[in-house]
Amino acid sequence: MSDPAAPNSTPDKRPHIPVLLRPLLEAVAPVSGDWADGTFGAGGYTRGLLDAGADWVCGIDRDPMVFQMAAKWAGDYGDRLALREGTFSEMDTLAGKPLDGVVLDLGVSSMQLDLAERGFSFMKDGPLDMRMSQSGPSAADLVNEADEGTLADILYHYGEERASRRIARAIVKARAEAPFETTLQLAEVIEKNLPRSKPGQSHPATRSFQAIRIAVNDEFGQLIEGLEAAERALKPGGKLAVVTFHSMEDRVVKRFLQARASSGGGGSRYAPEAAEETPRFKLTPRKAIGPDKEELEENPRARSARLRVATRTDAPAGPSDRKKLGLPPLVFKDRS
């Protein structure tokens, strides 16, 4: 959500300023060496890193459209910039070398929201798609084929929608008459089954559309795999910077980094003491960084953004315990 430029505007060489770029660059300073931008998008973080002193940045994205948009300016950086199509869970393989830093900007970008044909927006009519990679099962497949219980679980676990069962029941009833094909068809059904929004509140379909998007793209599974890939890719002393936009994402990132920064031990009279481990990260700083007043004035979308930064130690990388991270259950599996 951090790139404010609409994709149908005329591309130029002025850098798009992503959310929390200034505090991110300050937190990882001095910027040097080899980096990966695991969520390339409009390239705002990549350009920020290159302009701040990175020797080389590998820009990774699973949306092929973003590289077409970057063609206008990518050549300005010569061989300092490499663009790779894929997911950030593959960053250690895609980058092909140990890294001095990794940046992840989670969530859907505004340029995807602004294109009605991508099917992310409940404000613009378009095909019910929501696939970031433009491949695999779509939102229409989920909404038209998943049973009522699965739909309710998706809306509750991924969108924290309290009326999940009511909305799921309404979706199943509506699709029995005609399958869902467009975003506004779905938004209308959701809106009819929720109280009207008060001034200043988000659209009634916000949580449901978020939940469906997360399920279609397996965003939480990708998040954990991406954090593990960053751990594998980073050199000792390398920096990991993660920007989140909603509480569930931030909670998972926070728990992952806290677990990786812990040496284990502790325990209590009720729980056995954890095995001692060498911490794989050091929290730098220990707390999340939010937008300052200046940034909120420039970009109100930044209000919910949180930045967490950690520094890699020399401890070997390893798998994580997903249950302890509060990861919502996977309730929609890719059938392709």
Side-chain angles (χ1 to χ4, degrees), residues 12 59 158 163 194 269 275:
D12 57 31
Y158 297 162
L194 290 174
R269 59 188 293 189

Coordinates of all heavy atoms in Angstrom, one line a residue, residues 12 59 158 163 194 269 275:
D12 N 7.3 8.7 -15.0 CA 8.4 9.7 -15.1 C 9.5 9.2 -14.3 O 9.5 8.1 -13.7 CB 7.9 11.1 -14.8 CG 7.4 11.2 -13.3 OD1 7.8 10.4 -12.5 OD2 6.5 12.0 -13.1
G59 N 15.6 -6.5 -7.1 CA 14.2 -6.2 -6.9 C 13.3 -7.4 -7.3 O 13.4 -7.9 -8.4
Y158 N -8.7 -14.1 8.5 CA -7.8 -13.2 7.7 C -8.3 -11.8 7.7 O -7.5 -10.9 7.4 CB -7.7 -13.7 6.3 CG -7.1 -15.1 6.1 CD1 -7.3 -15.8 5.0 CD2 -6.3 -15.7 7.1 CE1 -6.7 -17.1 4.8 CE2 -5.7 -16.9 7.0 CZ -5.9 -17.6 5.8 OH -5.3 -18.8 5.6
A163 N -18.8 -10.5 11.6 CA -20.1 -11.0 11.0 C -19.7 -12.0 9.9 O -20.4 -12.2 8.9 CB -20.8 -9.8 10.3
L194 N -24.3 -5.8 6.5 CA -23.6 -5.1 7.5 C -24.3 -3.8 7.8 O -24.9 -3.2 6.9 CB -22.1 -4.9 7.2 CG -21.2 -6.2 7.2 CD1 -19.9 -5.8 6.7 CD2 -21.2 -6.8 8.6
R269 N 7.0 -22.7 36.1 CA 6.6 -23.9 36.9 C 5.6 -24.7 36.0 O 5.3 -25.9 36.3 CB 5.9 -23.5 38.2 CG 4.8 -22.6 38.0 CD 4.3 -22.0 39.3 NE 3.7 -23.1 40.2 CZ 3.0 -22.8 41.3 NH1 2.9 -21.5 41.7 NH2 2.5 -23.8 42.0
A275 N 15.1 -25.0 25.0 CA 16.5 -25.3 24.7 C 17.2 -24.0 24.4 O 16.7 -23.1 23.7 CB 16.6 -26.2 23.6

